[in-house]
Amino acid sequence: MPSEEPKTAPGNITEKKSPQQQGSPAQLNGFNLTHDVTNPSSQPQFESRPPSPASPPDPHILPREQWGGKYEFLLSCIGYCVGLGNVWRFPYLCYRNGGGVFLIPYFIMLFFTGVPLFLMELSLGQYGAAGPITVWKCCPLLKGIGIGMLCVSTLVCLYYNVIIAWTFYYLGSSFQSPLPWSCDAPANAYLCGNATTVNSSSGRALSPSEVFWNERVLGVVNSKGLHDPGPVRWPLALCLLAAWIIIFFCMLKGIRSSGKVVYVTATFPYFVLIVLIIRGATLEGSLQGVAFYLTPDWGRLASAQVWNDAASQVFYSLGIGVGGLLSMASYNKFDNNVIRDCLVITIGNCSTSFFAGFAIFSILGHMAWRKGVPVGEVADTGPGLAFVAYPEALALLPGSVFWSILFFLMLFMLGVDTLFGNMEGITTAVLDEFPQLRANMKQKSLFLGLLCFGFYLMGLLLITDGGIYWFTLIDSFATSFGLIIITLFMCIGISFFYGVNQFCQDIIDMICLCPPWCSKVLLYFKACWVFCTPFLLLFILTYIFIEMYNTPLQYGAYVYPRWGKALGVCMGATCCLQIPIWAIVAISKESGTLKDRFKKSIRPLNSWRVNNLNNSGGGEEQIERVEAPFTVNLTDRDTVNLTEVDFTAIAWENGTEA
């Protein structure tokens, strides 16, 4: 079965020998040639008829939007990358993996894995001016990568807004004085006066913040495990609904609305971090916390876990392979300097992670000093840091209500920005596949509303009494091996199927006034894409599989059953299995032998690069592009001296075979 859309290929010369055609003139792309093709000195002349005009744009389909300015794109990407993981995961990994020594593998992995993949995704989106699915017109065989990205984005959006709902709950509770998780609250007098309530997993006394988190927020004490979700916790359901309503209105007008929101949501967390660092520096015991954060342990460099943690943190904090970066870059102007943006965003993101560690550990150091325990006993990661350890530390400060409100506002801004990027990946992919939705604001609003409401209904499972067990399961597998495999195939596909040289040339074409340093930097990126990055991704993937096989999945003292872990593996497998499924579909649409089908399926479609004409052309006249292979239909008489025909006067728009 032939493919639905032809590929860009040089002129095919097809020979037809039917008797009915022997006396007919030769044809080139549907035009009759009136000259004698057997005369090599003659030039091909087309019949005197008006050329076919370029097909007019569909008035019902709006052109793609563009960012209002370069700062909107930069802030959107920084807000997308600088998320909750920068605050609650990086500082913990740093102290657990050798303190300041962790920065060595971290920056090595950043420059050999993170930055090259980040540039690849930004460049692909900007050059193709398309979302994560449509952009694979550059290599139809790999369309499954875009579908896989969509699956990962769906899983991430499903559980990520639950974190924002928790933040809303804490933010509302922060307006109470005293804070409900502090020892000053009358309900916590029995917890602070004695140690009768004990944590079953650690054997130590529970703090008021742990009781508030487990009993009042999660209700996990009422659930026996994954098989026992229990009823929905309606205060959290209202918070989740409010979170999705905010996301809906912020994204209602696409990048025109979200691009303005990021001026606040992307900058406010930096203001809060600076304030927290200044406040933490004035507290007793803060230096012990910072020392605990940065004290080097050089022996840790020999551990494979340290290098895996560094690579994983770089990979996940940059948001690579989810489709958000690709979608946001697709709204850039064609001549935007993508290399400069890549370096600014990646270095800014990783610097923020390091910077946030001082805000976290200075205040945790003060809490350890107040309790008279080592800092390691109060340090935590993930939700345990954001909703247990750090709120407890803030409750010890004078003016704790103010600091708590400030902290949870920061978490809300960090979460919303990241969710913007993930949702943008989904909406852009759908709108590119169904462009008529862009023209009708009512239909677009209805689609976005149904999407948000669908996520809300599915998210209700995660805010039941046993919802934290489902949250941990999805969090553990949604961005695990499936995402690494998707990114690995993206790197290999662009480097070896599309062509790394062609891809580098595309980047140079976008940067019209390409400074000399850009060309030199591209040599480094080319080496990474072909050698270093695939090797490091294989290392991460191997370590993930080994750890997944040897380490049981658990939340606190609860160990997940085998069927629960198998369900998580199915989530990850569903994402990466899209690649072979859609590759088979692409090959089956072609004709010829299996080898011919494969070669045809890795050729770019003719409509590849068409989307960026509006970006680069401005008011200039656009060149007509022929949406068909170049063919020359010849009769027996025409083929007598075919090898002597001079076709040099014909300007082939697609001069080389993909």
Side-chain angles (χ1 to χ4, degrees), residues 56-118:
D58 190 342
H60 300 291
I61 299 178
L62 291 178
R64 289 177 65 84
E65 301 168 298
Q66 288 187 357
W67 295 103
K70 63 179 181 180
Y71 295 113
E72 289 186 10
F73 171 69
L74 282 174
L75 287 176
S76 295
C77 285
I78 290 175
Y80 169 68
C81 297
V82 179
L84 296 168
N86 298 71
V87 174
W88 74 20
R89 191 167 186 265
F90 176 83
Y92 176 82
L93 290 178
C94 198
Y95 98 78
R96 190 183 76 175
N97 291 307
V101 171
F102 181 70
L103 298 178
I104 297 175
Y106 181 73
F107 280 103
I108 289 176
M109 292 296 182
L110 171 65
F111 287 108
F112 285 99
T113 304
V115 178
L117 289 173
F118 197 91

Side-chain angles (χ1 to χ4, degrees), residues 174-189:
S174 297
F175 285 92
Q176 303 177 37
S177 182
L179 294 173
W181 56 82
S182 68
C183 281
D184 296 331
N188 298 329

